[in-house]
Amino acid sequence: MTDRERIPTPLLKKRLPSGRGAMLQPNATGDGEAQLTARFWALVIVTGIVTGFFGVLLMLILFTVEHAAFGVSSDGQGFSAAVAAADGWRRVTPLLIGGVIAGVGWFLLRRFTPGRKSEADEVLWTGEGRLSFRRSLGTSVLSEIVIGLGASLGREAAPKLMGAVSGSVAAEWAGMSAAQQRLLVACGGGAGLAAVYNVPLGGALFAAEVLMGAVALPLVLPALACAATATAVAWVYLPEHATYLDIPEYRFDLRLLVWAAVLGPIVGIVAAGYIRVIGWISHHQARGRWVLIAPLIAFAVLAGVAVAFPQLYGNGKGMAHDAFLGVGSIGLLVALAVLKPLVTALCLGAGASGGLFTPVMSTGAVLGAALGIAWSQVWPGSPIGAYALIGAAAMIGAGMQAPLAALVLVLELTHSGFGLMVPMMVATVIATAITRWIDGYSIYTARLSSA
């Protein structure tokens, strides 16, 4: 028997013949700090709806800018091909314009919203202050504009932020407790990721595992509901198919399992280094009047490097997609694996705001493909794309310090990889454990401002 009380009290008061209570199952005992009241559930749905529409708005801005700058199709597909097809100043000019917009835009935004918070992770984990709607919206719009013009940052940060803001505003308006507000902020953040990448399960796990730090029933249920709602709402404009199209259904092979055990430590060490670079550059980010010119300088450097490697433009979706399809020489893949983290850090250091999810995952994809080509010289037979999928899952798992969310996200993004689940799990577990052992930071905690 146990003295623990089931909260909320179930409708059926009489126990089963065993006399044992449902509260013996740890995740079924109660709601925890945030009570899942009827009013709270209504706010979960409202947050999901608003987050879905914010996702649509931000992706509409992104795709419009990409089309104007490079002639990309209205759904954003083929960004890398369009950039590669552009030559000379037609490729460089949009990024330089992005540098000017970023410098002036973020300088003015930070000057006229001093002390306001626009970092969902920081507010959620430290409890210091509230998210500013005005600063968050301005940051999000600027982020999608400069990414559409070629900045090497992830597009998911903006919808994640606006989802978190939606949860925060809804909770404050309804007079929710601090714990309920915190849970709504996390649900909205995960729902933003879910909506723009069409990954409802991955977004919900991201909210629970990364933002809340526990995969428990009282956290997972609202996270699932919010992510599903936001994803369904986003379908009014965004496609229902996978983000990465036409990825083959790779099959399991023993050589992949053995290779995954070898890859795990390598990715773990690389991820730890990547995180340290991100943390260092975030701490030394351009500030004050330097923000006016730093993005232009950084984006000009990126444009110069991208003359030879146009795949570096944008969030890295194109280079990851090619790797998943097994496209690319070992020399190109190694170069991209080295350069993508550097140009991403350069953009962050210049004061730009954006996500790291796709840049980190794409680095893992090209690194996995490159090492897979080398492994094939020793033990040939497996497709290179399979190595890329395993590398992507391991890198993002180690980078986020969230192996469950990483595995699910890769499956949902590609609608492939189920046959590779065991080697993906092996590589991801080892990589995440190695990164945690070496340092313990993630791509999110490394970016937190000074205490």
Side-chain angles (χ1 to χ4, degrees):
M1 299 294 291
T2 177
D3 294 329
R4 285 187 292 176
E5 183 181 0
R6 167 67 185 272
I7 302 174
T9 304
L11 293 177
L12 300 178
K13 304 293 191 288
K14 186 176 181 180
R15 295 186 177 187
L16 290 172
S18 68
R20 310 298 288 271
M23 67 285 295
L24 286 176
Q25 182 176 327
N27 73 328
T29 301
D31 291 348
E33 295 181 352
Q35 293 186 9
L36 305 186
T37 62
R39 196 176 189 186
F40 177 84
W41 278 111
L43 292 178
V44 168
I45 301 303
V46 169
T47 299
I49 292 172
V50 175
T51 299
F53 280 119
F54 269 124
V56 168
L57 172 64
L58 293 168
M59 292 305 99
L60 178 61
I61 293 171
L62 175 67
F63 297 155
T64 300
V65 172
E66 288 179 342
H67 178 73
F70 301 106
V72 182
S73 60
S74 59
D75 62 355
Q77 296 291 333
F79 177 78
S80 293
V83 171
D87 54 3
W89 285 104
R90 187 164 179 265
R91 182 189 299 176
V92 173
T93 300
L95 199 49
L96 298 180
I97 293 173
V100 175
I101 292 173
V104 175
W106 269 302
F107 176 79
L108 293 175
L109 184 65
R110 290 161 186 169
R111 181 172 182 178
F112 289 106
T113 58
R116 303 293 179 87
K117 301 288 186 179
S118 61
E119 294 292 337
D121 301 338
E122 183 173 2
V123 169
L124 188 62
W125 295 334
T126 65
E128 297 175 359
R130 297 173 180 172
L131 286 168
S132 165
F133 180 85
R134 183 173 58 167
R135 179 157 176 165
S136 296
L137 181 59
T139 294
S140 298
V141 171
L142 281 171
S143 178
E144 298 300 352
I145 290 174
V146 300
I147 293 167
L149 293 171
S152 178
L153 294 165
R155 72 185 192 185
E156 83 288 343
K160 170 191 163 189
L161 173 58
M162 293 312 300
V165 170
S166 301
S168 178
V169 171
E172 189 174 349
W173 171 81
M176 293 286 102
S177 68
Q180 289 171 319
Q181 181 173 12
R182 182 168 172 262
L183 181 52
L184 273 175
V185 168
C187 288
L193 175 68
V196 298
Y197 283 137
N198 193 29
V199 288
L201 181 54
L205 273 176
F206 179 86
E209 188 179 19
V210 177
L211 298 181
M212 293 300 295
V215 185
L217 197 62
L219 305 180
V220 169
L221 282 177
L224 286 169
C226 196
T229 303
T231 303
V233 169
W235 286 341
V236 300
Y237 173 69
L238 299 176
E240 301 175 32
H241 55 65
T243 298
Y244 296 88
L245 298 173
D246 304 320
I247 308 301
E249 188 56 56
Y250 297 115
R251 302 179 63 179
F252 171 80
D253 192 282
L254 180 60
R255 64 176 62 85
L256 292 173
L257 181 59
V258 176
W259 180 80
V262 175
L263 175 72
I266 298 173
V267 170
I269 294 170
V270 172
Y274 197 155
I275 291 167
R276 273 284 161 166
V277 170
I278 294 301
W280 187 90
I281 204 71
S282 297
H283 183 71
H284 292 87
Q285 194 176 47
R287 291 177 175 84
R289 294 187 180 276
W290 278 107
V291 174
L292 283 167
I293 61 172
L296 179 59
I297 296 171
F299 291 4
V301 172
L302 170 58
V305 176
V307 170
F309 301 100
Q311 299 91 338
L312 297 175
Y313 271 53
N315 63 357
K317 176 187 173 185
M319 60 188 257
H321 199 182
D322 286 345
F324 294 153
L325 295 173
V327 176
S329 66
I330 189 170
L332 173 63
L333 294 167
V334 169
L336 293 176
V338 172
L339 292 172
K340 188 61 178 177
L342 295 179
V343 296
T344 300
L346 182 66
C347 291
L348 287 177
S353 179
L356 288 173
F357 172 75
T358 302
V360 170
M361 189 186 73
S362 64
T363 300
V366 294
L367 177 63
L371 295 176
I373 293 175
W375 181 260
S376 295
Q377 304 304 308
V378 179
W379 194 352
S382 293
I384 301 305
Y387 294 111
L389 278 173
I390 297 169
M395 182 66 79
I396 198 62
M400 296 194 308
Q401 286 293 284
L404 280 176
L407 290 165
V408 171
L409 283 166
V410 170
L411 294 177
E412 283 193 303
L413 286 168
T414 63
H415 287 190
S416 180
F418 291 95
L420 303 177
M421 180 53 68
V422 172
M424 284 172 65
M425 290 173 67
V426 169
T428 302
V429 166
I430 295 174
T432 305
I434 291 291
T435 301
R436 183 170 184 261
W437 174 67
I438 291 175
D439 205 356
Y441 286 100
S442 74
I443 55 175
Y444 303 113
T445 55
R447 295 180 66 181
L448 295 177
S449 59
S450 301

